[in-house]
Amino acid sequence: MNTDSRHATVPLAPEPAHVSPPGSAVPVLTAVAVIVASGVATATGPGAEYAQIFPPAWLGIPGAAAVLFGVLLRARALRTGRTTSAEAAAWAGAVLLIGASGGFVLDCFRAFFAVTGIPAGAFSEVDVPGAVARGLSLAGAFIAIRLARTIRADAGRAFRATGSATGRLSLLAAGLVLCVPYPLLKTIWWMQGDDGGFDVGFPVMELVLFAVAAAGVVVLTTKLGDVLPRWLVVLGGWGGSLVLMSMGALMVVGLVAQATHLVPATVDLGGGTRAAIVFAVYSTWLLLGAAVAAATVLYEERRASVAPVV
């Protein structure tokens, strides 16, 4: 038997085929949908009078473009290991898309009356092109956040390192504090009575909704969340955070757009001081939404063995 191995040949492993980065399809398709819908809404203008004070529809276009840029940079980062720029682009896209989504919650309320036929007068009118663009922008913001988290996971920099007890307690404290200003302001207005044409009633819904938000913050940041189904807590966390951020964006981005004449109408808030108070208080919606989103991220990664990806 010939045992000489000098002439033995070792088959070469086939060169791996090039594959696109995992998780690119959903962000790309969502971003393209946002660009198309935002372009249509911009071209047609507000389809109902109420939407004239909302953030401009074109804001979704640069937001979606930033997401696409993040996907492109991520593809390169998977080869080079440099993920900072890709993650920054994804976060920038998320911020812009949250701003573009401002007003979508009110669109949903109006759509409910329009679809059910419940008499609601002008409140049943819906700016359909704008509502579609705002809804897609809100979905795109969620996808952009997930993309940014995926990019962090690519580099082995998941958020677990910040999920310490101290970090959770900080989010708990911030969330509870941010649940106070809006219902407090509405309660003060109710105690003062009608002012400047504003019809002020007892803020039942405001107190209930922000009590629910406070309870959600507690569940997300303490061991109470560990005894509940993970999917239920995560669904509530993301749903609540997106609603809060969209409503906050309606006031913050909307008021800035009104002040800079980027939108065709303005809201008379009753003077400079009152406008400043309203702006500051409604900003807490945006900050509370961000706190709930961060708490949801930490909760997910505390309950999961791996960070979820897009």
Side-chain angles (χ1 to χ4, degrees):
M1 180 182 295
N2 182 8
T3 58
D4 189 354
S5 61
R6 288 176 298 177
H7 301 291
T9 58
V10 178
L12 297 176
E15 183 178 350
H18 174 73
V19 294
S20 61
S24 298
V26 173
V28 168
L29 292 175
T30 305
V32 170
V34 170
I35 290 173
V36 172
S38 299
V40 171
T42 301
T44 59
E49 185 177 356
Y50 76 92
Q52 293 181 0
I53 62 171
F54 284 7
W58 55 258
L59 188 59
I61 296 176
V67 173
L68 291 175
F69 191 47
V71 172
L72 180 64
L73 290 176
R74 182 192 174 211
R76 187 179 67 179
L78 289 174
R79 298 190 298 269
T80 64
R82 300 176 181 177
T83 60
T84 303
S85 297
E87 185 182 351
W91 283 118
V95 171
L96 289 171
L97 289 171
I98 287 169
S101 75
F104 179 64
V105 177
L106 296 184
D107 289 325
C108 290
F109 279 118
R110 288 175 168 269
F112 169 79
F113 289 107
V115 171
T116 60
I118 298 174
F123 199 74
S124 62
E125 297 178 6
V126 182
D127 170 26
V128 176
V132 171
R134 287 184 283 272
L136 286 172
S137 293
L138 189 59
F142 174 70
I143 295 299
I145 294 171
R146 307 289 284 196
L147 175 64
R149 295 180 59 203
T150 300
I151 295 170
R152 289 185 68 89
D154 291 341
R157 296 183 294 113
F159 286 94
R160 284 192 198 86
T162 62
S164 64
T166 301
R168 293 197 301 272
L169 288 176
S170 298
L171 284 173
L172 172 62
L176 293 179
V177 169
L178 290 168
C179 285
V180 174
Y182 181 72
L184 177 62
L185 176 65
K186 296 301 290 284
T187 301
I188 291 174
W189 284 356
W190 169 71
M191 294 175 66
Q192 291 176 340
D194 294 349
D195 181 18
F198 290 91
D199 185 13
V200 181
F202 184 73
V204 177
M205 289 303 299
E206 289 87 344
L207 292 171
V208 170
L209 290 175
F210 277 84
V212 171
V217 171
V218 172
V219 168
L220 286 165
T221 55
T222 67
K223 292 184 178 180
L224 287 175
D226 297 341
V227 301
L228 296 173
R230 180 178 179 276
W231 68 268
L232 181 62
V233 178
V234 170
L235 180 63
W238 280 118
S241 66
L242 291 172
V243 167
L244 285 165
M245 287 191 288
S246 180
M247 286 296 295
L250 170 61
M251 295 302 297
V252 174
V253 181
L255 287 176
V256 170
Q258 292 170 38
T260 54
H261 304 290
L262 293 176
V263 292
T266 60
V267 175
D268 182 8
L269 296 175
T273 301
R274 182 164 187 154
I277 292 174
V278 170
F279 182 86
V281 170
Y282 275 91
S283 297
T284 62
W285 286 62
L286 197 57
L287 295 174
L288 178 59
V292 173
T296 306
V297 168
L298 296 185
Y299 173 83
E300 280 187 295
E301 297 186 351
R302 192 174 78 248
R303 293 284 303 269
S305 58
V306 294
V309 295
V310 175

